[in-house]
Amino acid sequence: MKSTASKKLFLIATFGFIFVLPLIGSLFKWGGLPPGYGEFPAQKVEADPGFSPLYFSLAVLVAIFITVFFVFPGLFGFKQPDPARKEHVVTAGYPVWFWWSLPVLVLSWFLMWARIDFLVSLEAYTFVPLWWSFILILDGLVYKRTNGNSIIARKPHLMQLLAVVSCFSWFAFEFLNFFVLENWYYPNNKVFSNFGNVFWFSLSYTTVLPAIVEWYLLLKTFKGFRDRYRYGPKLSLSKSVLLLYYALGLILAFGMGYYPYLLFWVLWVALVPLLSAAMALTGYWTPFTPIKNGDWSNIMLFGLATLFNGFFWEFWNFGSEWFHDSMPTNPNYWKYSVPYLDKIHIFSEMPILGYFGYIFFGINCWIIWLIAAYIFDFDADLEVKGNNS
C-alpha cells in the first residue's frame, strides 16, 4: 500500500469492520437484530446474566496486573529518569476563561444535584454547561502550568475539531452498545422528545474527547507523570505479528455480536487491535509507535487521563439521581447493566472493576481521533507549544 488513497481506503474499510462485524455476529446469534436495537437513547432490554465468581476473579487478576503495571513500572523494566536533572517551570496567571468557568461549573453542579422546586426544569440542561466549564477550567490549569500554552490559547481550532470528532465517535460507541445488549442505558428518556434527545445528546457527546485531552495535557505538565513511563522496554512488532493482531481484532468484533455477554468487554478493546494495527500496517503513526524506542509515556498518560476524568463522569452522574431518584429530570443520567462483574460500587453506578475499562476507552478515543485525522487530512497533533514554551 504505497499511495495515500489506498492507505485511506484500508483505514475506512477497517473502521467499517468495527460496525459490520458485530452486526453480522448478532444476526447469527439472534436471527435478526438484537433486542433494543435502534432505540435512542439506549434502554435496558433484558436482565444481564448476573454475578459470576469465576469471571469476577479473572477480572480482578487483570485489574491487579494493570494496577501494578501503573504503580510499579520498575518491575516491568522501566527506568527512572536522572533525579539530578531539574527543570525550571515558569507559570502564567490563570486565563480569563478559567475564572468565567468556575461560577458556571458551580451553578450547573448545584442545579443538577439540588433539585430546587422552582428551578427543577433547568436541571435537564446542566450536563453540557457543567462539562464544558470543567473542560475550560482544565485548560486554564494547563495554561497556568505551561506559561500560556494551552489549547484555547494556542490552538482553538483544535478544540473545535476535538468536539466534532468526539460527537461522532461517541455515537459510534452508542451503536456498538446495542450489540452487547446495552451495557449502559438512559432511564430518563422521556425528559425530551425524540428530536430533543438526539439534539441534546449530540451536544453532550462533544465533551468526551476534549475533557480527556485536557486531562492528558495537564498530566504532562507534571514531571513525575511525564517521565515515569518514558524509559521503558522497547517493543517492536513485525508485520506478521501486526497481521495476527489485526485478525484478532476481526474475530473479537464478530464475537462481540455473537457472544454479547461473554465478550461484552470487547466493546472497549476491539478498536485497539483492529485500528491501531491498520494504522501501523499502512505506515501511519499510532499511540504505540513511541514504544519502539521505549517511550510508553503518551499511551500510559492518556489511559490515566481517561481514568481520572472517569471519576468525575461517574461522580456527577451518580449524584444527579441519588438525592432525588423519584424525580427523573436529568436526561443524561445513565445506569449500567454489566454482566458477571456488577459488584462493589463506590458512589457511582459503575462497578469498581469497570473503572479499569476507562483506561482502554481513552486509547480507543485517541485511535479514532487519529483515524479521522488521517482520513480527512487534518493535523492530529495534540501537543501545544508556543514561543515562550
Side-chain angles (χ1 to χ4, degrees):
M1 262 176 281
K2 297 295 184 180
S3 71
T4 301
S6 61
K7 290 180 180 181
K8 288 185 178 181
L9 184 61
F10 184 62
L11 293 183
I12 292 170
T14 301
F15 196 71
F17 288 149
I18 293 292
F19 303 98
V20 173
L21 290 174
L23 176 60
I24 295 174
S26 188
L27 291 175
F28 276 96
K29 169 70 175 181
W30 303 102
L33 296 173
Y37 179 86
E39 188 170 3
F40 184 83
Q43 299 299 298
K44 187 174 183 178
V45 293
E46 63 179 55
D48 60 65
F51 179 70
S52 167
L54 175 60
Y55 211 111
F56 185 82
S57 299
L58 292 174
V60 167
L61 291 177
V62 173
I64 291 174
F65 174 81
I66 293 173
T67 302
V68 173
F69 190 83
F70 273 94
V71 177
F72 304 105
L75 297 177
F76 300 88
F78 286 82
K79 298 178 181 178
Q80 292 300 310
D82 183 2
R85 184 171 64 89
K86 297 181 179 180
E87 60 179 12
H88 178 63
V89 178
V90 179
T91 60
Y94 290 107
V96 64
W97 56 86
F98 175 87
W99 298 112
W100 287 353
S101 298
L102 286 174
V104 175
L105 183 141
V106 172
L107 180 60
S108 301
W109 185 356
F110 176 76
L111 291 175
M112 178 181 280
W113 283 21
R115 306 288 177 89
I116 305 301
D117 288 343
F118 66 93
L119 296 175
V120 71
S121 61
L122 296 177
E123 198 259 332
Y125 303 95
T126 54
F127 185 93
V128 173
L130 173 73
W131 273 98
W132 269 111
S133 61
F134 186 58
I135 290 166
L136 293 177
I137 288 170
L138 290 173
D139 187 87
L141 293 172
V142 174
Y143 181 98
K144 178 174 176 58
R145 292 187 55 81
T146 60
N147 200 23
N149 294 319
S150 74
I151 292 178
I152 298 298
R154 298 290 183 183
K155 289 185 175 181
H157 65 282
L158 175 61
M159 186 64 79
Q160 297 168 1
L161 285 171
L162 285 168
V164 172
V165 175
S166 176
C167 178
F168 284 100
S169 63
W170 187 252
F171 268 114
F173 279 101
E174 292 286 356
F175 175 78
L176 294 175
N177 188 33
F178 290 131
F179 301 107
V180 291
L181 305 187
E182 289 73 36
N183 278 182
W184 69 91
Y185 60 96
Y186 306 88
N188 300 341
N189 64 323
K190 303 300 182 183
V191 176
F192 295 140
S193 65
N194 289 337
F195 173 80
N197 279 325
V198 173
F199 178 77
W200 181 252
F201 277 80
S202 296
L203 291 179
S204 303
Y205 296 163
T206 64
T207 65
V208 177
L209 192 52
I212 296 172
V213 171
E214 289 288 5
W215 269 108
Y216 166 71
L217 295 176
L218 180 60
L219 291 180
K220 292 196 74 172
T221 66
F222 293 91
K223 184 176 182 296
F225 279 113
R226 189 173 61 250
D227 291 346
R228 185 174 183 82
Y229 309 106
R230 180 171 290 181
Y231 308 102
K234 297 179 181 180
L235 181 63
S236 182
L237 300 180
S238 66
K239 185 176 181 180
S240 297
V241 173
L242 286 173
L243 288 171
L244 288 174
Y245 197 50
Y246 186 85
L248 175 63
L250 296 174
I251 294 170
L252 288 175
F254 173 85
M256 180 178 69
Y258 194 78
Y259 299 104
Y261 289 129
L262 185 64
L263 297 180
F264 75 93
W265 50 270
V266 172
L267 172 61
W268 308 111
V269 176
L271 276 68
V272 175
L274 254 184
L275 296 181
S276 62
M279 288 190 291
L281 287 168
T282 50
Y284 286 111
W285 187 92
T286 82
F288 300 94
T289 300
I291 296 178
K292 294 179 181 179
N293 299 318
D295 186 358
W296 296 63
S297 57
N298 289 341
I299 198 165
M300 299 286 278
L301 292 188
F302 216 87
L304 281 178
T306 315
L307 178 61
F308 290 172
N309 199 66
F311 168 83
F312 289 94
W313 273 324
E314 300 300 336
F315 175 67
W316 280 321
N317 178 67
F318 182 71
S320 73
E321 198 77 4
W322 175 255
F323 301 107
H324 307 275
D325 59 359
S326 62
M327 298 173 62
T329 58
N330 178 14
N332 296 91
Y333 172 71
W334 64 86
K335 293 177 69 71
Y336 293 98
S337 180
V338 181
Y340 312 128
L341 306 180
D342 197 4
K343 289 286 185 182
I344 310 177
H345 294 249
I346 302 177
F347 55 79
S348 75
E349 298 293 350
M350 171 78 82
I352 193 167
L353 285 177
Y355 281 93
F356 289 89
Y358 274 125
I359 296 172
F360 298 98
F361 169 62
I363 298 170
N364 283 329
C365 288
W366 196 0
I367 288 173
I368 292 177
W369 164 255
L370 291 170
I371 289 286
Y374 296 149
I375 291 174
F376 294 104
D377 293 319
F378 62 81
D379 185 6
D381 188 8
L382 299 174
E383 303 300 322
V384 182
K385 298 177 183 178
N387 295 331
N388 54 356
S389 62

